[in-house]
Each structure stands twice: as structure tokens, then as C-alpha cells.
Amino acid sequence: MAGLYLSELRLSHFRSHRSARLDLDARPVAIHGRNGAGKTNLIEAVSLFSPGRGMRRAAAQDLARRPEALGWKITGMLRAADRQHEVEIFSEAGGARQVRIDGKSAAQLALGRLARVLWLIPAMDRLWIEGAEGRRRFLDRMTMSFLPGHADASLVYEKAMRERNRLLKDQVRDGHWYIALERQMAEAGAEIHANRKTALQRIMDAQMQAETAFPTAELDLTQTEGEMPETEGDLRAALAESRFRDLVAGRSLVGPHRADLYGSYAAKGVPATECSTGEQKALLVSLILANARALARDFGAPPILLLDEVAAHLDAGRRAALYDEICGLGAQAWMTGTGPELFAELGARAQHVHVTESDGLSSVEARVP
């Protein structure tokens, strides 16, 4: 694959942008403007070129510009595998998000087979010190970047678990009602667990194989309680054995939905939860870069990277190192910051976009040196 990047991005009534158009090449995209101008809205639009609800996990109806629009549309020309695809993502009258690829309707999961998109946003800065749910989501995004089918397994597992939990809440004790659901959970759950372990190994290998200015993170897959059965058969048996305990709790207490991601600063041997704020941020940057390097090797091209306000949280030395790594990868990284000085080290290696807001309207001006 020669490269993966958006050569054109058009927005209509999306968030703060009534209308916007960017014509781009494969270089990084440095976006600057004052707070509230709509910088993050631009990269949120790009995040929707991947499966799921995007980097803010917003519902489709919440993405429309208010008050004049009930719907919104994003159109992108995506260069992938020496081919160009027109991708349209839209919602009409507050309905569900829809996708068209080259003029044909497609499932959202199809986007994961066409492109890879990774992001790091300020909301993730507390990843190591908040609940396990956010770390599972972070891990699953990494896993889907390697194995798009992970999304299908997750949907199957979650649907079966919801139905099993409904039985548990209704205090249904007849085991025959559980057998089929537990079989589905065991099959999908074992696949989810194996996929996560594969992704973690690829990330750790990518960290060890590269010299970088960012710290290496030791990673491990743990459970919030007990142990995760390793095989489909063991998980099915564990679910059956746990029914009485689950009936008391009113929910399923065994399975990959109880997983947690443990991280530590390898060189210091310090858990990520005990690291400074700056060290925690550096560990996250390291993981995103490792993910990108592994994908560049496995997928044939680096992913599109979305780095919201990342420059403001790095000193000048690490900021320059980050830009060097991105350019070395050949990734189209979309980065936001309040001022152009934050991207001075990039110079002509990037294309620069200025976002302004006047009278409630956002304006996007691209400068491609």
C-alpha cells in the first residue's frame, strides 16, 4: 500500500461547521485556532471514518449543527491501497448514521476494513486513574485496528450478555434458558480475549523494536475480579458454574467484559497509576505510536492519526521528537493546537490549517506550503 490518507474532506452542517472543505496531501495536518473555533470538530469528523461512534462517542443526532439543521454529512476522498474511495457518512432528520462507499450503502464495520484511524484526545489523559471501562475501550480500539473482526465478536458477545442479564434480573432459574446464550458468550468471549492478547503482544513488540523519545509501557491483561478462562470450553463452564452468584448480583460476573488493562513505566518499574501526569501522557503517546508502527508493518501503511491538543502537553524536545516520529512513519496525522508556534518544528513537512469563528460561523483556511 502506497499510503493511507484523506485527500479531501467536506463537511455540511456538522457540529460548528455549516460548510467546510479541505484539499490535502499525505503530509501531517497542523490545525490551529483559538479555543471554541471548531478544531476538534474537524478531527472528530475524521474519526468517523472508522467503525463505532467516533472519538467523542456522540450519538448521530448530536452531531448536527444547531439550530438550522436536522441532518449532517461528511464526505471524504480516501486514498488507500493505491486506490481512491469516496466515503460519505451522514445522518438525515436525526436518524442513525449511514455510510456509503463509492456510491453504495455499506455497514459501518466496512470502514474498519478500508482504513485504520487512531486517536489520542485530552479525555484520555485520565485513562490510567479512572475506571476499567475506559481502559477496555482503549484496548478494544487498538485491537480493532489490527483485527477488524473484533468488532463483530464484541457485538455478538454484548447482545448475548444483555439477554442473559435480563434472565438473571428476572430471577429465571431454569438452566435451559441459559445454555444457548452462554454458548454464544463463550464462543465470542474466547475470541475477544485472544484478540486482545494478540494486540497487546504486537504493541509491546513494536515498542521494543524502535528507538523513541517516549517511554516504553509494560502492558498486561488482567481481570477486575477472578481469572479469565482461556478457552471457549472453560468460559462456557465458568458461566454455567457462576449462574447462582450471577443471580444474586443480577448480572454476569465472568467474561471479557470484566477485563482491565494494566500498564507500567517499564524503565522505572512504576505502575502507570503512580506516574506523574506528564509521564502518563508520554506513556499514552508511546502506545499510540507503537500501534501506528505495528500497523504500518502489518497493514502495509501507517494509520491516520488524530492528536487533539497533544502539542500543548509536551515540552519542546518531546514535541519535536513526536513530529519526527510521525514524519518518519509517513502518517497523515491531524493535530490541533491554539497557535501556529506549537507546530513550528514541523515547518513545510506539514500542511497548516487555520480555524476561526465569527458571528457564530466557523471558517477553515488551509495553507499548503
Side-chain angles (χ1 to χ4, degrees):
M1 181 179 292
L4 172 64
Y5 64 96
L6 281 167
S7 61
E8 181 183 316
L9 178 68
R10 285 178 281 157
L11 308 182
S12 175
H13 296 93
F14 180 84
R15 292 287 195 185
S16 60
H17 300 285
R18 179 178 291 174
S19 178
R21 174 170 178 163
L22 288 171
D23 295 296
L24 304 157
D25 55 43
R27 289 176 296 165
V29 183
I31 306 169
H32 68 92
R34 68 176 182 82
N35 291 331
K39 305 183 301 296
T40 301
N41 295 339
L42 283 178
I43 66 171
E44 181 182 22
V46 180
S47 76
L48 296 177
F49 285 82
S50 63
R53 295 171 63 177
M55 68 185 203
R56 282 172 166 162
R57 296 180 54 77
Q61 62 267 27
D62 296 330
L63 298 174
R65 178 181 166 82
R66 304 297 183 191
E68 73 272 13
L70 290 175
W72 53 270
K73 186 175 184 180
I74 302 167
T75 304
M77 301 303 295
L78 185 69
R79 298 283 303 185
D82 296 318
R83 294 182 58 192
Q84 181 164 280
H85 301 276
E86 182 182 50
V87 179
E88 300 167 279
I89 307 164
F90 58 97
S91 170
E92 297 176 333
R97 175 155 55 114
Q98 300 181 61
V99 176
R100 282 199 295 257
I101 300 175
D102 297 326
K104 298 179 180 179
S105 294
Q108 292 182 26
L109 293 177
L111 294 170
R113 296 175 175 86
L114 191 65
R116 304 292 194 270
V117 183
L118 307 178
W119 55 76
L120 182 59
I121 62 176
M124 295 162 64
D125 288 353
R126 297 180 60 82
L127 182 79
W128 302 113
I129 58 176
E130 292 190 337
E133 182 181 357
R135 288 187 290 276
R136 278 195 300 273
R137 193 179 303 126
F138 178 75
L139 173 57
D140 283 335
R141 288 293 317 172
M142 290 195 298
T143 304
M144 281 191 288
S145 74
F146 295 111
L147 303 162
H150 184 71
D152 298 292
S154 297
L155 288 173
V156 170
Y157 182 85
E158 289 167 8
K159 181 176 184 295
M161 184 174 68
R162 282 196 303 270
E163 295 180 16
R164 185 178 187 268
N165 285 349
R166 191 175 300 117
L167 294 176
L168 294 168
K169 288 176 182 177
D170 291 343
Q171 293 294 295
V172 175
R173 296 178 180 275
D174 187 343
H176 291 89
W177 288 92
Y178 293 90
I179 293 173
L181 293 174
E182 289 172 356
R183 184 183 301 115
Q184 291 176 33
M185 288 178 67
E187 181 178 355
E191 181 180 349
I192 290 167
H193 184 62
N195 288 348
R196 287 170 172 170
K197 291 177 67 176
T198 296
L200 285 182
Q201 190 60 55
R202 291 186 184 180
I203 294 293
M204 289 189 287
D205 288 346
Q207 286 189 112
M208 298 302 295
Q209 293 167 3
E211 291 186 8
T212 173
F214 294 92
T216 297
E218 289 283 354
L219 302 173
D220 193 17
L221 186 59
T222 64
Q223 292 291 113
T224 55
E225 180 183 340
E227 297 290 331
M228 172 66 194
E230 291 290 328
T231 69
E232 178 184 341
D234 288 344
L235 180 53
R236 187 165 61 246
L239 286 165
E241 184 180 332
S242 184
R243 279 179 210 157
F244 178 77
R245 191 165 62 107
D246 294 353
L247 278 164
V248 174
R251 66 187 189 280
S252 301
L253 298 176
V254 176
H257 65 287
R258 306 281 288 179
D260 198 358
L261 177 65
Y262 172 81
S264 67
Y265 193 128
K268 295 184 176 182
V270 176
T273 54
E274 298 176 15
C275 289
S276 69
T277 301
E279 289 172 334
Q280 290 176 351
K281 184 75 172 187
L283 287 171
L284 285 174
V285 172
S286 177
L287 292 178
I288 294 296
L289 291 174
N291 196 169
R293 286 193 296 270
L295 284 172
R297 182 184 65 242
D298 297 351
F299 186 52
I304 294 172
L305 298 175
L306 309 176
L307 306 174
D308 192 20
E309 300 291 348
V310 69
H313 297 88
L314 300 174
D315 59 37
R318 275 198 169 147
R319 195 162 62 226
L322 173 63
Y323 297 158
D324 287 345
E325 288 211 38
I326 288 169
C327 293
L329 270 170
Q332 188 186 59
W334 296 61
M335 298 170 284
T336 67
T338 52
E341 70 280 357
L342 292 171
F343 306 108
E345 296 93 343
L346 275 167
R349 295 184 295 172
Q351 46 212 320
H352 298 263
V353 176
H354 185 207
V355 182
T356 60
E357 185 180 30
S358 178
D359 298 325
L361 294 176
S362 292
S363 174
V364 179
E365 176 189 353
R367 180 173 61 85
V368 182

